[in-house]
Amino acid sequence: MAAVLLLFDACASFAGTMMHSSNVPFGVRSVEWLRDNGAAWLVSDVERLYYSISAPSTGGAALKALPSVGVAAASTTSAYLPSAVAPVITPALAGEGVWRRTGPLVLGGPPILVTTFRPDPSYPEMVAGVAWIDRTRAWTQLYPGRYEPTSGPGARPAQVPPALRAHLLATFNSGFKLQDSGGGFVAFGHTYAPLHDGMATFVRMRDGTADIRSWAGGPTPGPEVEFARQNLPLILEGGQLNPSLSNGALWGATLGNAVRVWRSGVGVDARGNILYAAADSQTASSLAQVLQRAGAVRAMELDINYEWTTFNFFGAANAGSPAKLLPGMSRDSTRYLTPDDRDFFAVYARNG
């Protein structure tokens, strides 16, 4: 009887979860339900086995061309532009590491630049995508998702507000679920989860400045903080890779550092501009190297796995002409224009 009651309770919980509104495929939600209901160990073991079996082999044929990204060359403006990403594999492919803008100019310059490059000679078919966000022409906002974070005020748009879409430039994924990372979350004047000193934190102040830093401000930030999102330790600090990257236990309870999967991260360059990077078949260490090569001096890992890694940019006002940073990103280019289960970031043009 006890077994029947437990089975009935589990079935009722599963059915209830599957009946909730969601933009996540049924299979992924099923796995998430297992993870949240006592079977995280099983999901982790299966994931490790799957990714170990399907791990990419070194070598292979070299690519002949990189995926097309952006809409125009970035060299047509007198505004400051970051240096091109130096090729890791030679000879470089056409456009490799060269920054391209994603849409119209803002305040006389490109607010977002994107590029692709091959980050590892051992895997010549692997391609990383990077976006550079100009702090003087764009600003970033963190939004709670429909179900993540799990606690906090009930009414959540969980999407880019329609009233702000005229100025929307890009959207991208946030970090791990808070129950997995143990990190904090602050947005719109509410502390959804307390912040923890020593954790990597994407923070924006009310004066508009943003940073990626190791947090040292206590569990509840002051009113000068617009948002703060934490995820694991920094993977890059002072322009150098975190020496603890070899400690897999620090980089995710499920897959750690060693397993090669889709990974994403966010960093800041020496001028305070934001950098986003993503690629398939990455470890935490190789992701840190991608951001380092792109010019980041501090960086943190964001979410991982193909279901969650997303960077979309918009080539026209009112969220027009959406496009993905990398074609292998599985979610639609309009993700976050409708309610999403997870928290995310949106990038807007400055008005002056």
Side-chain angles (χ1 to χ4, degrees), residues 64-70 73 84-87 91-100 114-118 127-128:
K64 296 182 179 180
L66 292 169
S68 177
V69 65
V85 180
L93 297 175
E96 186 163 15
V98 177
W99 297 104
R100 292 172 60 85
V114 291
T115 191
T116 55
F117 67 98
R118 297 165 296 168
V127 177

Side-chain angles (χ1 to χ4, degrees), residues 169-171 310-314 323-325 332-336:
L169 299 173
T171 56
T310 297
F311 188 101
N312 299 322
F313 56 86
F314 302 90
K324 301 178 184 182
L325 177 61
D332 291 341
S333 60
T334 55
R335 186 184 181 189
Y336 307 125

Side-chain angles (χ1 to χ4, degrees), residues 139 143 157-171 314-321 334-340 344 346-349:
W139 60 280
Y143 290 98
Q159 62 181 316
V160 177
L164 295 178
R165 294 183 186 182
H167 306 289
L168 182 64
L169 299 173
T171 56
F314 302 90
N318 297 308
S321 302
T334 55
R335 186 184 181 189
Y336 307 125
L337 299 183
T338 55
D340 197 272
F344 68 96
V347 185
Y348 300 101

Side-chain angles (χ1 to χ4, degrees), residues 79-95:
Y80 166 78
L81 300 177
S83 300
V85 180
V88 180
I89 301 175
T90 55
L93 297 175

Side-chain angles (χ1 to χ4, degrees), residues 38-206:
W41 61 272
L42 175 62
V43 173
S44 297
D45 287 348
V46 171
E47 283 187 331
R48 288 192 187 95
L49 178 61
Y50 170 78
Y51 285 118
S52 297
I53 293 174
S54 60
S57 301
T58 57
L63 292 177
K64 296 182 179 180
L66 292 169
S68 177
V69 65
V71 298
S75 59
T76 57
T77 174
S78 60
Y80 166 78
L81 300 177
S83 300
V85 180
V88 180
I89 301 175
T90 55
L93 297 175
E96 186 163 15
V98 177
W99 297 104
R100 292 172 60 85
R101 60 185 178 90
T102 60
L105 302 181
V106 172
L107 302 177
I112 296 180
L113 300 174
V114 291
T115 191
T116 55
F117 67 98
R118 297 165 296 168
D120 191 336
S122 298
Y123 300 90
E125 296 182 342
M126 184 188 300
V127 177
V130 182
W132 176 87
I133 302 169
D134 188 337
R135 65 178 180 83
T136 67
R137 295 178 171 84
W139 60 280
T140 306
Q141 181 62 59
L142 170 66
Y143 290 98
R146 183 159 35 193
Y147 304 124
E148 181 66 24
T150 56
S151 62
R156 306 182 186 183
Q159 62 181 316
V160 177
L164 295 178
R165 294 183 186 182
H167 306 289
L168 182 64
L169 299 173
T171 56
F172 60 92
N173 63 276
S174 186
F176 290 5
K177 295 172 70 173
L178 299 184
Q179 69 181 40
D180 295 330
S181 71
F185 190 113
V186 175
F188 300 104
H190 182 80
T191 300
Y192 291 80
L195 303 176
H196 297 272
D197 287 354
M199 290 195 72
T201 308
F202 187 0
V203 59
R204 183 168 75 83
M205 315 304 288
R206 294 201 182 272

Side-chain angles (χ1 to χ4, degrees), residues 8-54:
F8 177 81
D9 183 65
C11 291
S13 171
F14 179 79
T17 299
M18 294 304 107
M19 291 174 66
H20 290 162
S21 297
S22 178
N23 67 328
V24 178
F26 177 84
V28 177
R29 282 190 290 154
S30 299
V31 172
E32 290 296 293
W33 180 86
L34 286 171
R35 195 191 302 278
D36 295 339
N37 287 273
W41 61 272
L42 175 62
V43 173
S44 297
D45 287 348
V46 171
E47 283 187 331
R48 288 192 187 95
L49 178 61
Y50 170 78
Y51 285 118
S52 297
I53 293 174
S54 60

